[in-house]
Amino acid sequence: MNIRPIIGISASLTLDSSERFLGRRIVSLNENYINAIIYSDGIPFVLPITNNIEIIKNYARLLDGLLLSGGYDINPLNYFENPSLKLGKTLNERDEFEINLIKEFEKLDKPILGICRGNQILNVAHGGTLYQDISLIQGSFIKHNQNALEYEVTHKVTIKEDTNLIKIVGKNILVNSYHHQCIKKLGEGLKVAAISDDNVIEAVENIDGSFKLGIQWHPEMIFNKNKIMAKIFRCFLLECENNKYRL
């Protein structure tokens, strides 16, 4: 019997707002990420924030792949910039945790899929920078933080030739979109895999061809209604499964 690949999903942290437990720290993760991994024949393993490097190294050794989830803005101090007036809420603990996760999984050459914030932290971990708000990009005209329902697609993305992503989703796709930040300077070892019509970087991947993929949209919100989005997760899980038997 084949053992399904076990996928670590980075969790976030929220504070309890109830009167009884006001301020209590709660590990949080949108269930869509979990469901997408289960649907794609993987085993989800939620990773609470820790900056114990030995625990992070064990995560990397024990798990077959890493899914970096969405959430807070990334502290611009991580890429040597001061905070813009348009910067949203940040969480330094999570930034440090995920950067260390990326480094440890990459040391073992295990597949990584980053979604929204996950795409951005992958870029930052490689020395890249971000636009702290899309309004700071001259010429940007697309609404990247949609008001439509989460499973509705709202704008076009063009996939670059000679990328792994074009083999998965094709040349042109429609995506949902919930972000106000995006990649500015590309991180070392990464290449642009997709752009929007207003030249916002919508996806990145490793230049060496290994499965390190960051995407700016949210396939986990739409995988059960959209075959292309479902294919992203299935290809990620297949890479994790193949990688497991290579090690």
Side-chain angles (χ1 to χ4, degrees):
M1 181 180 69
N2 289 336
I3 300 175
R4 295 181 178 188
I6 304 173
I7 308 302
I9 310 174
S10 63
S12 192
L13 185 70
T14 57
L15 299 180
D16 197 328
S17 59
S18 68
E19 183 177 348
R20 186 175 185 185
F21 297 110
L22 186 64
R24 179 178 58 178
R25 292 157 62 95
I26 300 172
V27 174
S28 61
L29 179 69
N30 190 309
E31 191 179 29
N32 288 333
Y33 296 103
I34 294 169
N35 291 339
I37 296 301
I38 293 173
Y39 177 86
S40 306
D41 294 327
I43 299 172
F45 191 98
V46 179
L47 306 178
I49 294 170
T50 176
N51 287 312
N52 183 318
I53 193 64
E54 289 305 315
I55 291 176
I56 293 172
K57 287 180 178 179
N58 275 283
Y59 283 157
R61 283 195 291 266
L62 294 169
L63 300 171
D64 300 308
L66 174 64
L67 172 56
L68 298 161
S69 64
Y72 296 118
D73 286 359
I74 296 164
N75 190 326
L77 295 178
N78 286 299
Y79 46 92
F80 308 106
E81 289 187 11
N82 288 313
S84 160
L85 291 172
K86 297 189 176 183
L87 181 69
K89 188 174 182 181
T90 61
L91 183 62
N92 292 337
E93 292 173 71
R94 183 175 180 187
D95 295 346
E96 183 181 350
F97 171 55
E98 291 186 338
I99 289 170
N100 283 326
L101 272 175
I102 291 166
K103 288 178 179 177
E104 295 304 323
F105 272 80
E106 288 188 336
K107 284 178 185 177
L108 300 176
D109 197 28
K110 293 190 176 183
I112 297 174
L113 173 62
I115 294 176
C116 196
R117 172 198 156 89
N119 173 51
Q120 296 163 13
I121 197 70
L122 182 63
N123 186 63
V124 171
H126 281 257
T129 66
L130 305 176
Y131 287 105
Q132 294 182 46
D133 191 80
I134 289 175
S135 66
L136 301 173
I137 305 175
Q138 187 175 4
S140 177
F141 60 86
I142 291 174
K143 184 176 179 61
H144 288 271
N145 195 358
Q146 71 186 49
N147 294 119
L149 295 172
E150 64 180 26
Y151 54 80
E152 292 185 354
V153 293
T154 59
H155 76 81
K156 187 183 80 171
V157 164
T158 300
I159 314 302
K160 296 283 191 180
E161 299 289 349
D162 194 29
T163 61
N164 288 328
L165 186 58
I166 200 169
K167 300 172 187 175
I168 300 172
V169 301
K171 177 67 174 177
N172 296 295
I173 60 171
L174 296 174
V175 301
N176 57 357
S177 191
Y178 289 97
H179 65 104
H180 81 105
Q181 296 194 314
C182 64
I183 291 172
K184 182 164 56 176
K185 187 188 83 173
L186 202 60
E188 185 177 352
L190 299 176
K191 65 179 180 180
V192 176
I195 59 169
S196 61
D197 283 350
D198 57 353
N199 292 315
V200 167
I201 295 174
E202 292 281 346
V204 299
E205 60 183 52
N206 263 23
I207 60 175
D208 65 6
S210 61
F211 197 99
K212 307 293 187 301
L213 173 65
I215 53 179
Q216 194 59 71
W217 63 92
H218 282 271
E220 84 286 357
M221 295 179 179
I222 200 171
F223 71 91
N224 56 350
K225 296 178 181 292
N226 186 304
K227 291 181 180 179
I228 291 175
M229 300 303 166
K231 194 174 179 183
I232 293 172
F233 287 105
R234 290 198 183 278
C235 288
F236 171 54
L237 266 292
L238 181 61
E239 286 290 330
C240 293
E241 185 172 9
N242 291 340
N243 185 275
K244 178 172 68 170
Y245 290 113
R246 282 198 299 267
L247 297 176

